[in-house]
Amino acid sequence: MASMATFFVKTSFPSHSLTKSFETRFAPPSKVNVFVGARSRIHPGLRVSSGLIEPDGGKLVELVVDHSARDLKKGEAFQLPRVKLSRIDIEWVHVLSEGWASPLRGFMRENEFLQTLHFNSLRLDDGSVVNMSVPIVLAIDDEQKQRIGDSKRVALFDSSGNPLAILNDIEIYKHPKEERIARTWGTTAPGLPYVEQTITNAGNWLIGGDLEVIEPIKYNDGLDHFRLSPAELRDEFAKRNADAVFAFQLRNPVHNGHALLMTDTRKRLLDMGYKNPILLLHPLGGYTKADDVPLDWRMKQHEKVLEDGVLDPETTVVSIFPSPMHYAGPTEVQWHAKARINAGANFYIVGRDPAGMSHPVEKRDLYDADHGKKVLSMAPGLERLNILPFKVAAYDKTQGQMAFFDPSRPQDFLFISGTKMRTLARNKESPPDGFMCPGGWKVLVDYYDSLVLTGNGKLPEAVPA
């Protein structure tokens, strides 16, 4: 059986000119006939198309400079005012550089920031709208702002003093933290993980501009070959002759209920007339909160799922989505869906309470579990994407396997939550046979065995992925 750990060759795309009206920085859209389908369900009358869906704005943005110009840009960077990036800032540079946020060409200026906060979308120069629900911004403090002075360019460095990018034609504006938090999360309650990591102690200013990334972002953690860019993914889908791509995002281990959903989705697409629908299994690889299973362990578990034949490697592409995680529920799930359009997906599977979490103060979920899928079915700029609501799967005690829930016999089904799954693995207890493939479960148990508890019995603080 083929290994999922495969290297792919990068596809080159030409650089795109930039239009400046309305202070936007988008590649101009091209007019291409694309697949357009149902919004909230798969409709039997959908037209089957063999081409990949067009990126937002018509062209895939790539912001890494040509190899021949890298030494020159490094030299320029050392002559410019510097902004030191956090690990999460670097993840956003990665996201922007590869075009996940196409047609955005850099950290947001105020015009783009306000559109994102208030409309969850950006209006392009031709009047069309693309979805953009989470701000992609870079914060600086008063001292950094003073050091930048009147310069129109700054260099972005990592914590080791290496130049990563140049931000051109910059704009500095106030960082309205409370408004940003309230509009993104719907609450300003203390304890929101991403807020505490990136906003609470961040500077009072935001700096936007056009990015020139000096070299592709690499993490040297043994997982870089999984971090396929949208261009590389599109190339891989083309190599596999995909006539449909359906994306499944997750930040947890894959159990057999997930696998049932994914294999059933492929069957439904085949029944519609598609010849070779390809699954994009796309775990989130950026910052996650402390109690989530770390990325390297999740990737080991996903690999076992393919090795054990739960998913077919021939019709599955496993890749890491580099975005940080906000846990912002219906607001963030729009970003997750929009980014997959740019990677070539025209179908997106949405589950219960996508991107949700428990309320940080009260004993309840922060978001309504059904709002994510409802929002996706009517979100501005996502009209081209087919939304596939998550069918509820649970453990069928009569069959000894995961199955779609049958409300006519609820007593036969056992729901195993993520919390319950983690508790079983931590205690080295086995789940019911058929819940997860044995190889995948062993990886999860091994992860909890590897944890070294601190003196007060709490898990160690997470290092951003």
Side-chain angles (χ1 to χ4, degrees):
M1 186 171 292
S3 169
M4 74 173 184
T6 306
F7 288 85
F8 298 102
V9 178
K10 184 174 179 62
T11 302
S12 297
F13 282 74
S15 59
H16 307 304
S17 60
L18 180 65
T19 55
K20 284 293 184 181
S21 59
F22 301 106
E23 299 182 3
T24 57
R25 297 168 289 127
F26 304 130
S30 58
K31 301 299 181 183
V32 180
N33 292 326
V34 297
F35 176 94
V36 180
R39 290 295 298 118
S40 59
R41 65 185 184 277
I42 300 180
H43 193 281
L46 284 181
R47 176 170 62 86
V48 174
S49 170
S50 61
L52 295 178
I53 191 171
E54 183 183 28
D56 276 343
K59 295 180 180 180
L60 190 63
V61 170
E62 291 190 297
L63 303 177
V64 179
V65 301
D66 291 338
H67 192 277
S68 60
R70 290 175 187 173
D71 288 341
L72 175 64
K73 292 300 177 182
K74 284 182 182 178
E76 290 180 15
F78 283 105
Q79 305 304 315
L80 295 172
R82 299 186 184 188
V83 173
K84 188 170 79 170
L85 302 181
S86 70
R87 177 63 181 252
I88 295 176
D89 293 333
I90 293 172
E91 291 171 357
W92 283 122
V93 171
H94 185 178
V95 165
L96 291 165
S97 71
E98 294 183 340
W100 295 102
S102 292
L104 200 63
R105 300 189 68 89
F107 285 107
M108 290 177 175
R109 295 187 176 90
E110 188 173 35
N111 173 283
E112 296 150 345
F113 174 69
L114 291 176
Q115 288 184 69
T116 297
L117 278 192
H118 293 272
F119 310 122
N120 283 2
S121 60
L122 297 170
R123 187 171 297 279
L124 276 60
D125 295 338
D126 68 347
S128 63
V129 169
V130 298
N131 192 271
M132 182 57 69
S133 62
V134 297
I136 302 180
V137 292
L138 179 61
I140 59 173
D141 59 25
D142 293 349
E143 182 180 342
Q144 289 172 309
K145 180 177 181 292
Q146 184 176 10
R147 191 163 60 245
I148 292 168
D150 295 330
S151 177
K152 297 305 292 180
R153 306 173 76 207
V154 298
L156 308 182
F157 280 71
D158 66 16
S159 59
S160 299
N162 301 307
L164 300 181
I166 294 174
L167 202 59
N168 296 297
D169 193 18
I170 64 172
E171 176 185 338
I172 297 176
Y173 55 101
K174 288 184 178 180
H175 185 183
K177 296 182 185 180
E178 185 176 18
E179 181 182 9
R180 177 185 172 188
I181 296 166
R183 288 195 169 271
T184 303
W185 282 270
T187 181
T188 56
L192 297 167
Y194 187 88
V195 170
E196 292 189 344
Q197 286 286 331
T198 67
I199 301 178
T200 302
N201 297 316
N204 295 321
W205 305 92
L206 298 175
I207 180 170
D210 301 332
L211 263 180
E212 290 180 294
V213 181
I214 296 171
E215 292 181 329
I217 301 297
K218 301 295 180 184
Y219 300 86
N220 301 312
D221 57 358
L223 300 175
D224 282 329
H225 59 286
F226 286 122
R227 294 184 174 96
L228 306 182
S229 70
E232 290 170 325
L233 285 168
R234 285 174 172 271
D235 186 48
E236 180 62 19
F237 298 144
K239 289 178 182 177
R240 298 194 188 204
N241 296 314
D243 57 357
V245 176
F246 58 108
F248 185 69
Q249 150 145 336
L250 67 168
R251 66 175 196 271
N252 289 306
V254 174
H255 58 62
N256 289 351
H258 297 138
L260 173 65
L261 176 67
M262 290 180 271
T263 54
D264 180 72
T265 298
R266 188 171 195 274
K267 181 180 181 299
R268 293 164 68 195
L269 292 173
L270 289 169
D271 290 344
M272 287 171 54
Y274 288 97
K275 301 301 182 184
N276 191 31
I278 297 295
L279 165 65
L280 172 59
L281 182 61
H282 215 198
L284 184 134
Y287 162 80
T288 55
K289 57 188 175 68
D291 59 348
D292 281 348
V293 177
L295 177 63
D296 56 343
W297 286 95
R298 283 186 279 130
M299 295 307 293
K300 291 177 186 177
Q301 195 270 348
H302 298 347
E303 191 160 17
K304 288 297 181 183
V305 167
L306 269 77
E307 287 180 2
D308 287 2
V310 178
L311 296 173
D312 183 1
E314 299 302 319
T315 59
T316 303
V317 175
V318 181
S319 179
I320 293 172
F321 178 43
S323 175
M325 188 75 190
H326 283 65
Y327 305 93
T331 297
E332 185 175 15
V333 74
Q334 297 173 64
W335 159 241
H336 293 167
K338 174 251 174 36
R340 276 39 181 251
I341 291 176
N342 288 326
N346 52 344
F347 290 89
Y348 184 80
I349 300 172
V350 59
R352 180 187 180 277
D353 195 20
M357 60 172 284
S358 298
H359 193 284
V361 176
E362 303 172 15
K363 291 185 177 180
R364 61 179 177 87
D365 288 340
L366 185 54
Y367 306 107
D368 185 290
D370 292 327
H371 282 183
K373 66 183 179 184
K374 290 180 179 179
V375 164
L376 281 186
S377 71
M378 53 190 172
L382 295 182
E383 293 82 4
R384 298 182 297 133
L385 187 64
N386 297 278
I387 306 303
L388 307 176
F390 203 119
K391 296 171 71 174
V392 177
Y395 187 77
D396 187 339
K397 293 180 286 187
T398 66
Q399 299 183 41
Q401 64 182 19
M402 298 297 287
F404 292 124
F405 178 69
D406 182 351
S408 69
R409 49 185 186 93
Q411 70 281 357
D412 294 334
F413 288 87
L414 177 65
F415 287 89
I416 302 175
S417 67
T419 300
K420 175 66 173 177
M421 178 181 68
R422 289 189 292 269
T423 300
L424 290 172
R426 186 180 294 114
N427 295 337
K428 297 185 180 181
E429 299 178 36
S430 297
D433 288 342
F435 172 74
M436 184 184 291
C437 65
W441 184 255
K442 183 178 185 303
V443 170
L444 197 56
V445 172
D446 288 347
Y447 162 62
Y448 285 106
D449 276 347
S450 74
L451 291 178
V452 179
L453 297 179
T454 60
N456 59 9
K458 294 182 179 180
L459 294 178
E461 290 297 313
V463 176

